[in-house]
Amino acid sequence: MLRYVYGDDLHRFPHLADTMFRDRADQFKTRLGWAVSVDEKGHERDDYDALNPLYILWEGPDGRHQGSMRFLPTTGPTMINDHFRHILGGGTLTSPLIWECTRFCLARGAASHVAAALMLGGGEVMRQFGVKHFAGVFDARMIRIYRMIGALPEVLGSQGEGRARISVGLWEFSETARRQVARRAGVPPELSDLWFRQSFGAAPLPLSRSA
Amino acid sequence: MNVAPPRRLEPILTSLEEARDRDDLQAVIVDFRDYFRIDHLVYHWVSADGDQYGCGTYAPEWVARYLEKDYLRIDPVIQGCYQRFHPVDWKRLDWSGKAVRHFAEEARAYGIGNQGFSVPLRGPNGQFALFTANHSCPDAEWQAFTERHRRHLILIAHYFNQKALEFEPDRTAEAPRALSPREVDALTLLALGYGRAQVAQTLSISEHTLRVYIESARFKLGAINTVHAVARALSRGMIVI
């Protein structure tokens, strides 16, 4: 199932969080060879994890992390604005309607629908919170996966060579793309909606309840 | 007093830009409220050490009551938005506890509506604020309202907060939001009358990428739409044609 969890709530899902940070170490350090730091717990964490980002996670039936990604609004510090300005031709990308998506991660052996489900979650965030665009930082090798699930970003540029090649791109989810991603994920819209509500709360109407 | 509600956001944003003190902010927020034709629009600032400042259209009696009873501690809107960056519909908050239910009933007695939409805001040094639209109406009507106006409310919330931060006595001066070279190129071509497709082609970028640059420029300029962004960039000398 999809979970939407802010950094300060990760402690409520200790196993899910632990396996996410381990899977990130496995993907970004071991498999992709990025220059990321892994702590004594085997967790890959960076400065942006300390900024209380919003994570979208796919939790397997065993409670383990199978895939995740991380969001921050571009009104605050972001990887793109801190490190990749040159790819945008200089200057920053700044708007509460543009969020940055980073650390798109799939666990080893994750089922094929997980990547699509994560993108579906991204689409829910856009739809429900009025976000218009995602700007992402990703490994060039992920583009194949994005294409496969029907969520191909537009690549603005890349930096580095070979294994170290990192790309910056933009996502915009049209209704067509959303339906396609939902189909690939095998998640009916009602279920996706339910997961979203479970994460963000759906208490009865405030104030209107009769005294 | 306005007989008819304002029909355009641009003049209100100009008033916001020209605001010189907190009294001006109060006048501006009333204008925004009238534009949106809702019961209330409120800006509520909470500093890192718990000091509060606000302006908006809630009854002064309710504000006094809120402060006197220290409702900051239990207000679900504060609890649910603090440390968050997504806009929050009040329906998604937890209104279940006994003290909270009492708080909600009391708020209603002071004319606070049953529907709310709050945009959390963050400034330097742990500054936290909320910009809240509030109204009394059925759910379906409120959903239609928020879907229609959500993005404008989010942008206006940020513009309002930036202005409020300027009035802080010991604020650290923020660097003005400079347009990036691509944003300057895009707005310049738009100012010259190019269509979006032509602009994108001229800059060798897709129309989607162009939309992202325009979105970012709109925010940096405190503008409400593309035409408004171009006008502001021109009047500030950030683009020259």
Side-chain angles (χ1 to χ4, degrees):
Chain A
M1 68 176 294
L2 277 177
R3 286 194 190 277
Y4 305 76
V5 185
Y6 273 90
D8 63 351
D9 277 339
L10 279 178
H11 67 91
R12 292 170 48 210
F13 310 93
H15 185 51
L16 184 62
D18 174 61
T19 47
M20 171 177 75
F21 288 117
R22 284 174 190 279
D23 284 339
R24 273 175 41 176
D26 183 50
Q27 170 167 321
F28 292 104
K29 193 177 175 95
T30 311
R31 285 186 281 156
L32 297 178
W34 284 22
V36 294
S37 54
V38 174
D39 66 17
E40 68 282 358
K41 287 189 242 169
H43 291 178
E44 185 275 304
R45 286 176 194 264
D46 67 8
D47 295 344
Y48 302 97
D49 290 305
L51 297 175
N52 199 27
L54 175 65
Y55 300 89
I56 301 183
L57 310 99
W58 181 270
E59 182 182 325
D62 54 356
R64 202 185 182 291
H65 166 266
Q66 292 202 350
S68 56
M69 55 185 173
R70 179 179 73 177
F71 291 96
L72 281 168
T74 57
T75 44
T78 56
M79 282 176 88
I80 289 176
N81 288 339
D82 295 345
H83 302 291
F84 297 99
R85 288 180 184 210
H86 55 283
I87 286 179
L88 301 167
T92 63
L93 214 51
T94 310
S95 168
L97 305 182
I98 306 171
W99 288 13
E100 180 178 77
C101 168
T102 55
R103 291 295 194 264
F104 186 96
C105 172
L106 294 172
R108 249 179 233 238
S112 61
H113 64 267
V114 173
L118 291 173
M119 285 298 173
L120 178 65
E124 292 288 1
V125 162
M126 279 190 167
R127 203 163 61 98
Q128 309 261 8
F129 296 155
V131 178
K132 279 175 89 170
H133 309 277
F134 290 148
V137 177
F138 45 87
D139 192 283
R141 282 161 285 184
M142 296 301 287
I143 293 171
R144 187 181 55 85
I145 293 172
Y146 297 143
R147 179 181 291 117
M148 204 170 66
I149 59 179
L152 188 65
E154 183 175 341
V155 177
L156 293 185
S158 304
Q159 165 178 300
E161 296 301 325
R163 271 168 66 87
R165 194 162 171 81
I166 292 172
S167 299
V168 172
L170 302 171
W171 279 276
E172 179 184 53
F173 278 157
S174 63
E175 193 54 31
T176 324
R178 206 171 74 82
R179 277 199 298 272
Q180 187 178 353
V181 164
R183 205 164 49 240
R184 300 266 174 161
V187 176
E190 300 76 21
L191 184 57
S192 177
D193 198 54
L194 175 71
W195 288 337
F196 190 88
R197 285 166 171 277
Q198 281 174 343
S199 283
F200 289 106
L205 259 187
L207 308 182
S208 63
R209 76 177 77 223
S210 51
Chain B
M1 196 172 158
N2 281 321
V3 179
R7 298 181 60 176
R8 285 161 50 83
L9 283 168
E10 289 88 336
I12 314 177
L13 286 164
T14 303
S15 304
L16 177 61
E17 192 183 18
E18 292 167 354
R20 303 178 73 120
D21 55 35
R22 288 175 169 181
D23 287 344
D24 289 347
L25 284 184
Q26 174 64 27
V28 167
I29 206 166
V30 171
D31 280 349
F32 278 129
R33 189 272 312 264
D34 293 346
Y35 169 84
F36 287 112
R37 300 175 186 222
I38 50 176
D39 293 346
H40 295 295
L41 199 59
V42 174
Y43 174 76
H44 184 183
W45 163 322
V46 184
S47 77
D49 46 10
D51 285 343
Q52 297 179 70
Y53 153 70
C55 63
T57 60
Y58 284 173
E61 296 79 16
W62 169 241
V63 175
R65 179 79 180 159
Y66 188 101
L67 293 173
E68 178 207 327
K69 301 290 278 184
D70 197 14
Y71 278 145
L72 189 66
R73 288 175 301 108
I74 59 159
D75 184 349
V77 184
I78 297 286
Q79 306 299 324
C81 292
Y82 191 69
Q83 303 288 16
R84 297 293 173 258
F85 51 77
H86 66 272
V88 174
D89 192 293
W90 287 10
K91 277 193 272 302
R92 304 240 186 239
L93 299 169
D94 183 2
W95 296 85
S96 57
K98 192 178 167 208
V100 170
R101 283 206 307 274
H102 177 75
F103 163 78
E105 280 160 21
E106 204 179 335
R108 194 171 51 159
Y110 280 94
I112 314 302
N114 61 324
Q115 307 285 0
F117 179 83
S118 294
V119 181
L121 300 157
R122 285 272 164 197
N125 309 319
Q127 185 250 2
F128 170 69
L130 282 177
F131 193 79
T132 295
N134 176 273
H135 197 53
S136 272
C137 66
D139 285 0
E141 193 181 312
W142 186 244
Q143 189 178 340
F145 173 84
T146 52
E147 278 180 16
R148 175 154 179 237
H149 295 293
R150 170 168 64 192
R151 285 172 175 158
H152 278 168
L153 286 168
I154 292 169
L155 290 174
I156 291 166
H158 282 263
Y159 301 159
F160 205 91
N161 194 49
Q162 283 160 17
K163 195 67 186 183
L165 282 166
E166 285 181 19
F167 300 145
E168 269 295 270
D170 51 351
R171 78 189 179 104
T172 42
E174 265 191 295
R177 295 185 189 277
L179 293 180
S180 75
R182 292 275 174 81
E183 288 161 5
V184 170
D185 291 346
L187 293 185
T188 304
L189 292 170
L190 288 169
L192 287 168
Y194 283 46
R196 283 178 185 241
Q198 290 171 290
V199 175
Q201 199 180 12
T202 308
L203 298 177
S204 302
I205 57 177
S206 73
E207 285 191 52
H208 171 216
T209 299
L210 176 66
R211 283 199 293 279
V212 177
Y213 289 137
I214 293 173
E215 190 60 59
S216 175
R218 159 163 89 150
F219 180 68
K220 290 173 182 174
L221 290 160
I224 205 65
N225 56 39
T226 307
V227 172
H228 193 213
V230 170
R232 283 201 160 190
L234 275 171
S235 70
R236 292 179 192 176
M238 296 166 97
I239 60 171
V240 180
I241 57 168

